[in-house]
Amino acid sequence: MPGIERCVSEIVTRHGADPSQLLQILIQVQDVIGYLPADCLSLIAEALDLPRARVEGVAGFYSFLHSRPVGRYRILFSDNITDRMLGAPALMQALCSKLWVEPGKLSEDGLVSITTTSCTGMCDQGPAALINGRPVTRLDHRRINEIAELVRQQVPVSAWPAAFFNVEDNIRRRDALLASTAAPGDALRAAIRVGREGWLTEMERSRLRGRGGAGFTTAVKWKACRDADGADKVIVCNADEGEPGTFKDRVLLASHADLVFEGMTLAAWATGAQKGFMYLRGEYRYLLEHLQAVLERRRAAGLLGAGIRGQAGFDFDIDIHLGAGAYVCGEETALLESLEGKRGTPRIRPPFPVTHGYLGRPTVVNNVETLAKTTLVALEGGEAFAATGTAQSTGTKLLSVSGDCAYPGIYEYPFGVSIERVLEDCGASDAQAVQAGGASGVLIAGYEFHRRVAFEDVPTAGAFMVFDSGRDAFEIARNFVDFFAHESCGFCTPCRVGTSLLKGYMDKLASGHGAKPDLADIEWVTRLLKNASHCGLGSSAPNPVIDTLVKFRPTFERRLESLHFEPAFDLDAALATARRITGRDDAAAHLDRKKETQR
Amino acid sequence: MTRRFMFDGQPVAFEDGQTIMEAARAAGHFIPYLCWHPDFPPHGSCKLCIVKVGGRHVSSCALPAKEGMEVESNTPEINAERRALLQMLFVEGNHFCPSCEKSGNCQLQALAYELEMTSARFNHIFPDRPVDASHPDMLLEFNRCIFCELCVRASRDVDKKSVFSLTNRGIHKHLVVSAESGRLGDTDFSRDDLAANICPVGVILRKRVGFAVPIGQRIYDEKPISQVSMEAEK
Ligand SMILES: Cc1cc2nc3c(=O)[nH]c(=O)nc-3n(C[C@H](O)[C@H](O)[C@H](O)COP(=O)(O)O)c2cc1C
Ligand code: SF4
Ligand code: SF4
């Protein structure tokens, strides 16, 4: 295979044969070949002088890398609960039958493969899909028919109607950040004027806390990194935005990228870092070209590179790395592993990234929104920034509102805004619950709508999914359980096995075969996940189930077949293979469990 | 001045940089583990060594000891959680102990006895994992893998061969060997590698030595794992 050899060698050379570029190399090789065949992995391993098993280990970790051929048209339906509520499952089924392909399988002619993927961050304009990596929004039956036709005619995706790929910002409420009129470089000028030390003092005064979930005080992180041993510090922008229901970082990257890159540069000014990375989730790859162009413009304007804004010794530049479909890589230490070209397995902490991060160097990892917010601190000063919001949560927060409401999109509010107020503004008149913070966040029931969005009350990384009274809380929880089982990295026992067991219990309940002892087992598994997991993915994985059990318990109990009998083995499920082989799915091909046990 | 923390109500001395596990063991306290190994840095994946410190669960193999910590380990609560973790490991693989060559020498089985695990409790996952018998001297019985990565680490860091790696993720995570064919026989693996002799369960087995020591007279048939493990400490 001389073609493959040349391709591999070119791509590896372009990346300086650097093993830390392994993931980027795998992505690019796959772009050319379509998938990553076994001999190709051997070639890459050889070219990078890495053990072959390590390359196979990395290639197998990421959802968007394939060891087997996939369709020339690869269609991935976003499988968030909001997509499901908008009818995604039926649309996927329709497309599968039109194109004669089974979900998850490759069509016999190798033309098309169709399956689901975790939330693609288009919840305000779903149902959405990724077609050969490009987002397609607002799917409906008409659009599905058109897609089927384009695939059948083998029209290249680049020639499909541009309207399919339209991604809107849907900014519904602007506050300090989204209304900012700062020109590129303004915030940097202000921060340079007060000096590195003075700038960090402003950050301290702002009491800005991280917007990526954990809410850690940003200035404390920056200071720890600045003070850590090692001159070669690193700033990482976490643009992995994998939390289902969250899409505010996408809008910042699409329309306010300068603020984000400027925030990274401000972090470099405070810490003395010279190297920056943006880790961009694979789902947002369509933004890559635009982001590179912004970087190029900033370099040309002297806002990146050597001697930024004429300051001798202020040298900083930014590389963009792509993810490849792994939610866990949003966890900061998994992200660092992935940046180093490894499997996205969270590290043992301590040590923390601020002292031992990227390649062991002191590293700041901040969320997209956090970094953008630092430009406001530079421009207004720390005290002015801290004047909005609440005492413990200063400034504003971007919410990604989706689900059952008239006006889904991005809303920027000062921290402390009540759930009620958001519901009113987004036109949700019949809400029974809100999932704040995404799958790993909290389910807020109607009687709690007076609560406020703030770290001290309802913390949220930005997701705000609305469910009206017609929705079934059990199905919401089940969707999130599926998500966590799919996204567990598999490193630690409780999460690897626990998320899978939990999925099994939820499926059993959904099929009407659950029994009271299952609830006890569910409670055990959730307890282990909470207590014993290695990282935040595992410890928050049971949240949707725990919340639903506490706040919407009847939706579970309604599904119990019996309060005592515990069928350990599902006879009917065991017949599934036989049914598939014989092409039957009629009533007589199913066992009626109730009758069986009564006999 | 020696510094101390409290381990199940008893004072334990420690040195700077020692983990809870290391200090507790040096003081004669056994903490269950599967992925930990005295000759390797902590790994932290099996979670059998969880303890409670100030009400929070932590991995004792990885957390450095600190002056004045109150550590709870051998309590009904923590042991119940450890038992459930063992049950998870059992249902995740295919473990038929009576027909396993490692029976009696297996740390998973021994810990199940130690922690009085009497049933698997959860539904079995029944994974489909093929056996690899391609190597002249060694056999890989993947059905029993608990992903401790000791073979991965030993082969990479000691044998300098990197014969093993994990691929895929979540419940589909599995071990692969460093060969395009995927067969152990096509690697430079040898029966004398540390990686060939480190598996705590019955995955990496020597061919032609089946049942040389009869079941009933093996390591953990004679003494509980808590005792065997601590003898190594002396
Ligand atoms: C499973 C998991 C996924 C995460 N995903 C993201 C993410 O997509 N984006 C993000 O900014 N932070 C994410 N985080 C939080 C990061 O670990 C980290 O706290 C954050 O990037 C720090 O930035 P901040 O201080 O600016 O919030 C995730 C955490 C966990 C446990
Ligand atoms: S909790 Fe889950 S995602 Fe986190 S390390 Fe464990 S297996 Fe991986
Ligand atoms: S084969 Fe054995 S040593 Fe290797 S990961 Fe599996 S259980 Fe651990």
Side-chain angles (χ1 to χ4, degrees):
Chain A
M1 291 196 185
I4 293 191
E5 257 166 54
R6 191 161 352 102
C7 155
V8 167
S9 120
E10 263 173 36
I11 290 170
V12 168
T13 311
R14 201 183 311 149
H15 289 90
D18 178 356
S20 75
Q21 299 286 319
L22 176 58
L23 175 57
Q24 307 307 306
I25 291 170
L26 289 168
I27 293 171
Q28 293 182 7
V29 170
Q30 178 173 283
D31 282 347
V32 180
I33 303 179
Y35 74 112
L36 296 166
D39 54 350
C40 172
L41 295 183
S42 304
L43 287 171
I44 294 174
E46 216 173 293
L48 290 173
D49 199 16
L50 284 174
R52 188 187 186 282
R54 156 125 190 251
V55 176
E56 185 171 356
V58 172
F61 187 85
Y62 297 91
S63 291
F64 291 170
L65 297 178
H66 316 292
S67 59
R68 275 195 292 262
V70 290
R72 270 186 284 138
Y73 294 88
R74 176 158 174 75
I75 304 177
L76 300 172
F77 280 82
S78 177
D79 196 28
N80 189 26
I81 183 70
T82 53
D83 295 286
R84 284 195 194 176
M85 293 185 332
L86 290 165
L91 293 172
M92 178 165 119
Q93 208 44 58
L95 188 60
C96 284
S97 32
K98 276 184 213 307
L99 291 171
W100 284 90
V101 59
E102 260 186 79
K105 300 252 167 72
L106 173 62
S107 65
E108 272 171 32
D109 52 5
L111 184 65
V112 58
S113 47
I114 302 175
T115 186
T116 54
T117 189
S118 298
C119 180
T120 57
M122 302 287 162
C123 320
D124 57 336
Q125 45 206 302
L130 290 172
I131 302 192
N132 292 358
R134 297 182 59 185
V136 176
T137 56
R138 299 189 195 283
L139 290 168
D140 54 18
H141 279 284
R142 197 166 133 209
R143 198 159 270 193
I144 289 290
N145 286 339
E146 289 171 329
I147 290 174
E149 205 44 43
L150 289 163
V151 171
R152 262 193 240 114
Q153 309 276 337
Q154 309 202 17
V155 178
V157 175
S158 54
W160 289 18
F164 284 19
F165 306 103
N166 200 16
V167 178
E168 275 159 34
D169 280 353
N170 291 331
I171 296 175
R172 310 281 185 180
R173 186 180 196 281
R174 290 176 196 270
D175 210 301
L177 185 68
L178 295 177
S180 165
T181 52
D186 284 358
L188 271 171
R189 184 191 311 123
I192 290 172
R193 198 183 310 127
V194 293
R196 292 185 193 254
E197 191 65 46
W199 164 227
L200 200 50
T201 308
E202 287 307 319
M203 279 296 294
E204 280 169 349
R205 288 199 183 119
S206 75
R207 288 180 279 125
L208 171 68
R209 292 172 68 175
R211 299 323 199 220
F216 198 79
T217 305
T218 307
V220 173
K221 201 183 265 187
W222 287 12
K223 199 156 184 251
C225 177
R226 183 196 67 179
D227 296 342
D229 289 335
D232 45 0
K233 300 183 167 128
V234 180
I235 306 295
V236 176
C237 172
N238 187 342
D240 198 49
E241 194 163 59
E243 190 64 51
T246 316
F247 47 88
K248 46 109 188 160
D249 292 345
R250 180 216 342 127
V251 173
L252 287 176
L253 295 168
S255 300
H256 300 273
D258 264 304
L259 296 179
V260 181
F261 291 134
E262 187 132 340
M264 291 179 73
T265 317
L266 287 167
W269 177 241
T271 56
Q274 301 193 342
K275 178 84 214 153
F277 290 104
M278 174 175 278
Y279 187 88
L280 183 67
R281 73 186 303 223
E283 289 83 346
Y284 292 171
R285 188 177 180 171
Y286 74 102
L287 292 171
L288 182 62
E289 225 176 287
H290 150 72
L291 292 169
Q292 302 278 27
V294 175
L295 286 179
E296 222 22 80
R297 219 183 327 108
R298 293 184 69 86
R299 283 185 197 113
L303 300 174
L304 282 176
I308 292 173
R309 290 215 69 127
Q311 287 293 305
F314 185 10
D315 309 336
F316 181 69
D317 211 329
I318 300 171
D319 267 346
I320 304 179
H321 271 232
L322 278 174
Y327 162 68
V328 71
C329 289
E331 195 281 336
E332 57 186 12
T333 62
L335 184 153
L336 293 170
E337 289 284 299
S338 184
L339 264 186
E340 292 180 10
K342 301 186 188 143
R343 295 166 58 79
T345 305
R347 296 176 178 170
I348 291 175
R349 293 173 301 170
F352 292 93
V354 283
T355 57
H356 296 76
Y358 176 72
L359 299 176
R361 295 150 60 173
T363 303
V364 164
V365 182
N366 272 137
N367 171 256
V368 169
E369 182 185 349
T370 313
L371 289 162
K373 290 269 157 73
T374 64
T375 61
L376 298 180
V377 178
L379 289 164
E380 311 165 0
E383 250 159 58
F385 182 90
T388 43
T390 71
Q392 290 175 55
S393 315
T394 56
T396 63
K397 180 79 194 92
L398 301 193
L399 298 179
S400 320
V401 177
S402 65
D404 296 314
C405 62
Y407 312 108
I410 301 294
Y411 292 72
E412 182 182 13
Y413 292 101
F415 265 120
V417 66
S418 70
I419 305 277
E420 260 155 0
R421 166 77 198 277
V422 182
L423 288 172
E424 202 179 300
D425 289 356
C426 73
S429 46
D430 182 31
Q432 67 159 329
V434 169
Q435 182 77 22
S440 63
V442 271
L443 183 65
I444 305 284
Y447 61 83
E448 304 171 277
F449 285 172
H450 60 280
R451 292 178 63 185
R452 291 170 188 282
V453 174
F455 292 110
E456 61 272 31
D457 191 353
V458 179
T460 167
F464 193 100
M465 291 179 268
V466 183
F467 305 106
D468 71 19
S469 56
R471 305 293 178 186
D472 185 344
F474 176 86
E475 282 305 329
I476 299 168
R478 186 167 166 229
N479 173 264
F480 294 149
V481 166
D482 283 2
F483 167 76
F484 286 117
H486 182 254
E487 296 296 343
S488 165
C489 85
F491 174 73
C492 68
T493 311
C495 173
R496 181 180 68 244
V497 187
T499 53
S500 239
L501 289 174
L502 214 48
K503 178 174 157 63
Y505 288 119
M506 296 297 275
D507 290 349
K508 186 175 171 191
L509 284 164
S511 70
H513 293 315
K516 188 106 188 177
D518 290 326
L519 290 191
D521 277 4
I522 287 176
E523 274 159 5
W524 247 108
V525 173
T526 57
R527 173 172 156 190
L528 275 165
L529 277 163
K530 269 246 155 305
N531 289 344
S533 291
H534 179 67
C535 86
L537 189 153
S539 58
S540 49
N543 289 354
V545 175
I546 296 171
D547 282 355
T548 318
L549 270 171
V550 171
K551 297 175 186 174
F552 296 89
R553 197 169 181 97
T555 176
F556 272 81
E557 291 186 332
R558 211 182 314 132
R559 291 179 154 83
L560 300 184
E561 176 168 90
S562 128
L563 293 183
H564 312 289
F565 174 62
E566 183 190 10
F569 182 71
D570 187 346
L571 278 173
D572 186 60
L575 288 176
T577 316
R579 275 194 297 270
R580 207 174 54 242
I581 293 169
T582 53
R584 283 182 57 181
D585 200 23
D586 52 299
H590 283 273
L591 284 177
D592 183 338
R593 171 70 90 12
K594 283 212 181 70
K595 257 192 233 137
E596 284 294 302
T597 52
Q598 280 157 9
R599 229 175 259 153
Chain B
M1 246 214 14
T2 34
R3 297 187 298 154
R4 290 192 162 76
F5 65 92
M6 298 301 280
F7 185 89
D8 284 339
Q10 286 170 284
V12 164
F14 71 96
E15 285 158 25
D16 260 342
Q18 259 187 331
T19 60
I20 297 175
M21 171 78 90
E22 287 164 340
R25 286 177 65 84
H29 300 284
F30 172 70
I31 303 176
Y33 59 85
L34 284 166
C35 69
W36 182 79
H37 191 288
D39 301 337
F40 287 88
H43 188 59
S45 70
C46 74
K47 298 298 168 195
L48 262 294
C49 75
I50 46 167
V51 294
K52 246 167 119 172
V53 176
R56 280 191 52 227
H57 288 69
V58 299
S59 300
S60 61
C61 72
L63 196 73
K66 270 212 209 80
E67 176 96 61
M69 268 180 168
E70 306 252 355
V71 179
E72 295 169 53
S73 175
N74 193 9
T75 65
E77 180 198 354
I78 298 287
N79 283 335
E81 291 179 348
R82 291 177 179 146
R83 205 177 301 127
L85 289 168
L86 287 172
Q87 288 165 322
M88 285 183 168
L89 289 170
F90 271 98
V91 300
E92 172 189 33
N94 297 310
H95 297 270
F96 305 105
C97 296
S99 67
C100 176
E101 156 56 21
K102 196 79 174 205
S103 189
N105 293 332
C106 167
Q107 296 183 23
L108 178 67
Q109 184 193 45
L111 271 187
Y113 282 125
E114 177 87 25
L115 292 165
E116 296 170 348
M117 184 192 118
T118 51
S119 81
R121 172 171 196 147
F122 305 117
N123 290 344
H124 282 271
I125 291 176
F126 297 123
D128 188 6
R129 301 191 195 147
V131 172
D132 180 349
S134 60
H135 193 277
D137 303 324
M138 303 297 298
L139 180 77
L140 295 180
E141 221 311 8
F142 292 117
N143 285 298
R144 303 161 183 162
C145 184
I146 56 168
F147 310 112
C148 67
E149 290 186 60
L150 276 168
C151 60
V152 177
R153 293 179 275 159
S155 185
R156 181 189 62 209
D157 303 339
V158 179
D159 306 330
K160 306 286 179 202
K161 291 185 179 178
S162 291
V163 168
F164 299 102
S165 177
L166 292 170
T167 191
N168 217 308
R169 70 171 191 231
I171 199 70
H172 305 293
K173 185 171 85 162
H174 62 94
L175 206 60
V176 286
V177 301
S178 215
E180 195 172 304
S181 63
R183 290 154 36 104
L184 188 66
D186 294 332
T187 69
D188 54 354
F189 194 54
S190 136
R191 55 185 282 169
D192 303 321
D193 288 355
L194 178 60
N197 298 285
I198 202 165
C199 181
V201 296
V203 180
I204 306 180
L205 297 170
R206 218 164 250 230
K207 285 183 173 173
R208 295 176 294 276
V209 291
F211 301 93
V213 179
I215 289 183
Q217 297 167 24
R218 297 174 167 199
I219 303 171
Y220 307 115
D221 296 332
E222 307 276 349
K223 290 179 201 162
I225 189 166
S226 51
Q227 201 179 325
V228 176
S229 164
M230 296 309 290
E231 279 166 8
E233 206 54 39
K234 284 170 196 154

